[in-house]
Amino acid sequence: MNAQPTQPVALTPAGGGPQAGRAPAPVWSFVLLFVLFYWGMVYFDLHGGWFNPQVYTPYATISEVERYQPPREGPDLARGKAVYETVCGLCHNNDGMGKPNQAPPFVGSEWVLGSPARMIRIPLAGLTGPITVQGQAINLSSMPAMGAALSDEDLAAVLTYIRSSWGNKASPISAEQVKAVRAEIGNRTQPWTAGDLMAVPEK
Amino acid sequence: MNYGPLIFLAAFFALASSWFGLVLTPQMQIGHLQQTNTLGAGATYPVARPGLARRGIEVYRANGCAYCHSQQVGQTATLCDVVLAEAGTNQAALVAALLSVKPALTDANAVQLMAKLPQTVLQGASREVADTVYKALKASGSKAELWIVPTGPDLARGWGKRRTVAEDFLFDYPVMLGSQRIGPDLANVGLRQPDANWHLRHFYAPRLEVTGSAMPPYRFLFEKRRIERARSPDALDLPPGLAPGNGYEIVPTQEAKALAAYLISLRADAPLFETPMTVPAAPGTNAPAATNLPAPKAFGAVNSTSPARK
C-alpha cells in the first residue's frame, strides 16, 4: 500500500488558466443604441399619430385632421334632405306638396314659414284635429310624433330643410332651439291641436 | 445566484411585449371600429355588401386577384381651394377683394372673372391662406366655397376621390388589400366600371376591354354550352375571333357573376371625418356642396344595422 499522499493534480493549469480580466462595457454600443432609440422616438412622433384610429397619413395628429375639415357654415341641407326623405316625405311627399287625404302641404304654409316655436312643437308631439293651411281647412287623421325619436341636430336639419326648400324662404332652425323647445314641453305625449299651437307665443 | 426566475421573467416580458404590440394594440386601435356617420349627411358608413358581392369576395380571394391588384388608395397631402360661386350685389367690394387676393389681376380681368362664375380663385393653398381668402371674399358679400382637396399620385390617376381608411374595409374579412399594382387599383372600381358586362367580358378576354392588358384570361369562370331554344340573355357578345362556333354560347357561371357583383360594389368615396374632403353636390339638388352620400335609402338602413358612432 502506498501510504504516501500523492501530489495533488494541479486544478489550475500552468499559466493561470482563463482569467476574468477587465472588460468595460462598450460605450460605442450604448451611444449607437441611444441614437437609434432617439431616431425611433422622433419617427414615431412624426408618423404614428399616437395610435389614434382616426389619424392617417398625411395628418400627424387629430388636431390636424380637425383643422382640415371642410367648413360647416350655414344649415346642413344635405342632412336635412336625407332625414326628410326618410321620415317626412312618405306622408308629406318629397316635393313638399303633401298628399291630399294624408298630409298637408309645406310649400308656402304659414305654419312652416311662421314662428319656429310652433313649427318645432309639431313633430315633437304630433298634431291632431282640424287645421287651416293657406286658407284650406284640413281635417285628417292625426300626425304621430315623428320627430320625437330624432336627435336635436337631425330635427333642426330637417326643419331647416323644409323652411328653405321648394320656394320656402325662412330662417334656419338650430339644434339649440330644438333643445329648448324639448325642455319646455317636457315629456308631453298628447298631440297638439291648432288651438294649442296658436296659444304658443310667437317669440 | 438563482438565474431560473430571472430567465423566466426575461422570456415572459419578451413574449408579453410582442403580444402587446402585435395583438393588443392593433385591437385597441382598429378592432373596435364600427359603422360611423359620413360627414354632413349622417348616413351610416359603410353599408354591408349585398349578398352576391359577399360571395364575390370569396371568388376574388380564391383566384388570387390580390396578387396583382391592390385596394388601397394613398394620399400625400391635403390642399384647399377657394371657389367663388356667386357674386353678391356689391360688385365694387368684390372686385376689391379679388384684387387683394390675387394682386396679378387687373380690374378688367376681375370683372371678366365675375361674369363667368363659378370660378376657382385659389388653388392648392394651405388652410390658413385659404381661410383668409375665403373670409375676404365672404366679407364682400359674395358666396364663396372652401374646398378641401386631397392630392396624391393615386388620386391624380383617378383611382379614387380620397384615400382609403380602415372603415372602408369594415365588412371585409379578410381584407384584400393587395401589395402589387400589376393591374390598376380596385378600391373604387365600382365607380369607374359599374357595368357588369364590362367586367364579364374583361374576365373572359382582358384584351377585349383593355388594350395591351397583362391580365390572364379567366375562361374557367365561364361555360361554353349549346344554344337550346334561344340565346341566353347572359351570353357574352364576343368578336368573331373569340366567339364560340355556331350554335354555342359563352355563359358566365355564378362565380363570374358574383365576382362582377363584388367589383361593382367596390367604392370608397364617402367623406369621413378622418378623410376630410369636399364633394360638389349633384346637379339639380337644392343642397349646396355637401357630401357624396349614398342614396337616401341608405339612411333608412340605420334602423337595421349596428348603432352608428355619433
Side-chain angles (χ1 to χ4, degrees):
Chain A
M1 201 61 146
N2 192 357
Q4 183 157 2
T6 52
Q7 192 74 355
V9 176
L11 290 177
T12 49
Q19 307 286 333
R22 289 175 50 76
V27 178
W28 63 267
S29 70
F30 290 135
V31 171
L32 180 65
L33 278 173
F34 174 75
V35 168
L36 284 176
F37 183 63
Y38 180 74
W39 173 84
M41 280 186 348
V42 170
Y43 185 89
F44 166 72
D45 193 34
L46 289 177
H47 298 273
W50 282 96
F51 295 139
N52 187 317
Q54 287 186 310
V55 177
Y56 295 88
T57 51
Y59 312 110
T61 57
I62 191 90
S63 52
E64 226 184 283
V65 181
E66 278 167 15
R67 191 153 56 89
Y68 272 103
Q69 297 297 318
R72 312 275 213 96
E73 279 185 15
D76 198 347
L77 286 182
R79 183 175 185 166
K81 181 170 193 239
V83 178
Y84 180 83
E85 287 176 357
T86 322
V87 177
C88 318
L90 301 166
C91 289
H92 285 279
N93 223 358
N94 279 347
D95 63 1
M97 291 304 293
K99 292 195 176 142
N101 288 324
Q102 203 170 351
F106 288 142
V107 177
S109 162
E110 63 271 28
W111 298 97
V112 167
L113 299 172
S115 146
R118 292 176 187 155
M119 188 193 184
I120 297 174
R121 280 169 161 78
I122 296 176
L124 284 179
L127 194 61
T128 186
I131 188 168
T132 311
V133 178
Q134 288 194 292
Q136 272 220 325
I138 294 180
N139 194 353
L140 300 168
S141 55
S142 62
M143 165 177 162
M146 300 302 291
L150 292 177
S151 68
D152 293 335
E153 288 84 13
D154 278 341
L155 187 54
V158 68
L159 293 177
T160 307
Y161 175 74
I162 295 172
R163 279 162 78 93
S164 31
S165 303
W166 321 297
N168 287 350
K169 277 193 177 28
S171 59
I173 288 183
S174 69
E176 287 79 32
Q177 286 174 292
V178 173
K179 201 168 164 152
V181 171
R182 265 204 166 112
E184 277 173 22
I185 64 177
N187 46 4
R188 178 196 173 111
T189 47
Q190 173 78 4
W192 306 97
T193 61
D196 289 341
L197 284 178
M198 292 309 293
V200 172
E202 281 244 357
K203 223 181 334 230
Chain B
M1 182 184 163
N2 189 2
Y3 286 114
L6 205 60
I7 293 175
F8 170 78
L9 275 177
F12 175 79
F13 279 115
L15 291 171
S17 62
S18 56
W19 178 82
F20 192 87
L22 293 172
V23 176
L24 185 66
T25 311
Q27 172 62 23
M28 285 171 9
Q29 201 184 346
I30 294 181
H32 69 285
L33 285 180
Q34 316 167 21
Q35 283 178 308
T36 182
N37 293 317
T38 56
L39 274 187
T44 40
Y45 182 81
V47 288
R49 298 194 199 281
L52 199 58
R54 281 222 209 131
R55 291 175 48 193
I57 197 177
E58 299 297 328
V59 180
Y60 186 92
R61 178 184 181 189
N63 283 293
C65 307
Y67 287 108
C68 294
H69 291 282
S70 62
Q71 278 183 28
Q72 36 183 334
V73 176
Q75 172 182 329
T76 51
T78 311
L79 300 170
C80 303
D81 289 353
V82 178
V83 173
L84 186 60
E86 274 167 29
T89 44
N90 194 347
Q91 200 191 28
L94 181 54
V95 171
L98 278 173
L99 288 180
S100 71
V101 155
K102 286 175 113 171
L105 270 181
T106 62
D107 268 352
N109 283 344
V111 175
Q112 249 184 353
L113 198 141
M114 280 167 16
K116 290 186 286 132
L117 292 180
Q119 279 271 3
T120 309
V121 168
L122 183 67
Q123 249 187 341
S126 72
R127 181 66 194 258
E128 291 79 21
V129 171
D131 264 342
T132 343
V133 170
Y134 177 64
K135 285 201 187 74
L137 287 177
K138 297 251 318 181
S140 73
S142 60
K143 189 159 155 234
E145 288 165 5
L146 177 66
W147 285 18
I148 311 287
V149 178
T151 54
D154 286 350
L155 301 168
R157 280 192 200 109
W159 281 347
K161 296 201 173 92
R162 60 156 175 84
R163 66 155 296 159
T164 49
V165 294
E167 236 124 30
D168 297 325
F169 306 102
L170 194 65
F171 292 117
D172 289 345
Y173 186 80
V175 177
M176 303 268 99
L177 272 185
S179 52
Q180 293 189 78
R181 283 164 169 184
I182 299 169
D185 182 273
L186 298 181
N188 285 284
V189 71
L191 292 175
R192 297 198 298 274
Q193 304 291 354
D195 178 25
N197 278 322
W198 187 96
H199 288 291
L200 292 171
R201 282 162 58 92
H202 186 230
F203 297 150
Y204 189 79
R207 282 196 199 87
L208 269 186
E209 301 290 353
V210 180
T211 42
S213 170
M215 173 164 156
Y218 282 79
R219 306 242 163 107
F220 54 86
L221 292 175
F222 297 82
E223 63 174 285
K224 172 177 168 181
R225 63 179 193 213
R226 183 175 267 289
I227 297 178
E228 304 270 317
R229 271 160 300 174
R231 212 171 125 81
S232 158
D234 286 340
L236 292 185
D237 277 320
L238 296 167
L242 283 171
N246 231 341
Y248 286 92
E249 57 182 6
I250 303 284
V251 168
T253 58
Q254 267 308 91
E255 287 198 338
K257 291 189 200 163
L259 186 57
Y262 170 65
L263 292 181
I264 291 167
S265 77
L266 282 174
R267 50 189 297 166
D269 57 346
L272 297 172
F273 173 75
E274 48 261 50
T275 58
M277 67 162 189
T278 330
V279 180
T285 58
N286 51 5
T291 66
N292 183 9
L293 59 129
K297 286 196 290 287
F299 187 83
V302 166
N303 298 322
S304 57
T305 55
S306 51
R309 169 156 49 102
K310 288 271 180 244

